[in-house]
Amino acid sequence: MSQSLIFDMDGTLFQTNKILEVSLEDTFNHLRSLEKWDAVTPINKYREIMGVPLPKVWETLLPNHSAEEREQTDAYFLEKLIENIRSGKGSLYPNVKEVFSCLKKSNCSIYIASNGLRGYLKAIVNYYHLDKWVTETFSIQQIKSLNKSDLVQSIIEKYDITNGAVIGDRISDINAAKDNGLVSIGCNFDFAQEDELSQADIVINDLKELQTIFPILQK
């Protein structure tokens, strides 16, 4: 039976923490230069909400700023993230390419569903040549509701998926699987939270574990 695996990007395939801090610091230094920020960079607050769409991020980090200022900050942050990706400052999690290669050989279709924006996701996919294995990468920008469950539903409908799993590190990934009748696989990686992972069907500590889990899913 053919299986489809839908992966989250940040904190699941891509070690966002390697470029997060420097990109966020660059962004808030920019705000300081414009005299629109005079406190420390809220890195810890951002880590707490990792996984939510970027518009929600800026509502949280910049609650007293205008919608226009948030949009401008979002654009600047995205620019810095992409610069850091293209300069090789980021990194995939261990075994991503090996696992993808193994899954493709096992007749598995691979997709990415992310709360990241199109330009950001494209930079990662292009830099690490992930399209060698990934059928298509989907951004939350494609969904008006900004809801991960709706994004996964759109993938299921486009590719007529009947069996598979959603692999990710946050509750939005777990809910996206459950809401669409797929297996939820939680990744106990950098940004994962224990109370969220407890709701997943399966929890892994390394993507390599998928090579063992996948044959079970096929049954």
Side-chain angles (χ1 to χ4, degrees):
M1 182 183 294
S2 177
Q3 287 283 337
S4 298
L5 297 184
I6 302 173
F7 288 82
D8 175 44
M9 179 67 89
D10 291 313
T12 299
L13 298 177
F14 185 66
Q15 296 188 57
T16 317
N17 57 318
K18 292 196 172 184
I19 62 168
L20 172 65
E21 189 167 329
V22 64
S23 300
L24 206 62
E25 194 65 57
D26 286 342
T27 301
F28 277 85
N29 280 337
H30 178 64
L31 288 174
R32 291 183 188 100
S33 73
L34 299 174
E35 298 185 349
K36 293 181 178 180
W37 190 262
D38 61 3
V40 298
T41 302
I43 292 171
N44 289 333
K45 173 61 70 175
Y46 187 81
R47 285 175 176 152
E48 288 174 14
I49 59 174
M50 266 296 297
V52 304
L54 276 174
K56 302 289 185 185
V57 167
W58 300 116
E59 285 176 19
T60 303
L61 299 187
L62 302 174
N64 300 318
H65 290 63
S66 68
E68 183 181 3
E69 287 172 328
R70 289 173 190 160
E71 287 178 11
Q72 292 170 348
T73 303
D74 185 33
Y76 188 89
F77 181 59
L78 178 62
E79 182 182 310
K80 290 300 175 182
L81 285 172
I82 291 173
E83 280 181 16
N84 286 318
I85 291 165
R86 289 174 175 167
S87 65
K89 292 181 180 177
S91 179
L92 296 177
Y93 276 95
N95 306 311
V96 169
K97 292 185 176 182
E98 294 85 347
V99 169
F100 274 9
S101 179
C102 175
L103 292 173
K104 287 296 286 185
K105 288 176 183 175
S106 301
N107 194 33
C108 175
S109 297
I110 299 171
Y111 307 90
I112 293 173
S114 171
N115 282 335
L117 303 183
R118 287 190 186 97
Y120 168 73
L121 296 173
K122 185 178 180 181
I124 297 172
V125 170
N126 288 349
Y127 188 83
Y128 297 101
H129 307 292
L130 296 181
D131 50 1
K132 180 178 179 180
W133 304 281
V134 177
T135 301
E136 188 172 351
T137 298
F138 292 80
S139 164
I140 200 68
Q141 277 184 297
Q142 297 168 238
I143 298 295
K144 188 176 290 187
S145 67
L146 298 180
N147 186 300
K148 192 73 165 282
S149 295
D150 294 340
L151 183 61
V152 168
Q153 182 182 14
S154 73
I155 300 172
I156 289 171
E157 290 174 353
K158 179 172 183 177
Y159 287 97
D160 195 25
I161 295 170
T162 56
N163 299 287
V166 177
I167 300 98
D169 63 318
R170 300 307 301 267
I171 192 66
S172 59
D173 305 302
I174 295 167
N175 287 339
K178 293 181 181 296
D179 291 344
N180 288 287
L182 300 178
V183 175
S184 60
I185 301 178
C187 298
N188 188 22
F189 299 167
D190 295 303
F191 301 108
Q193 297 185 11
E194 189 175 344
D195 60 326
E196 295 182 355
L197 288 179
S198 67
Q199 300 179 53
D201 296 316
I202 301 168
V203 176
I204 61 174
N205 296 297
D206 189 307
L207 288 169
K208 208 167 186 179
E209 294 174 48
L210 291 175
Q211 293 172 253
T212 303
I213 293 169
F214 181 69
I216 298 173
L217 291 179
Q218 286 184 305
K219 296 177 183 177

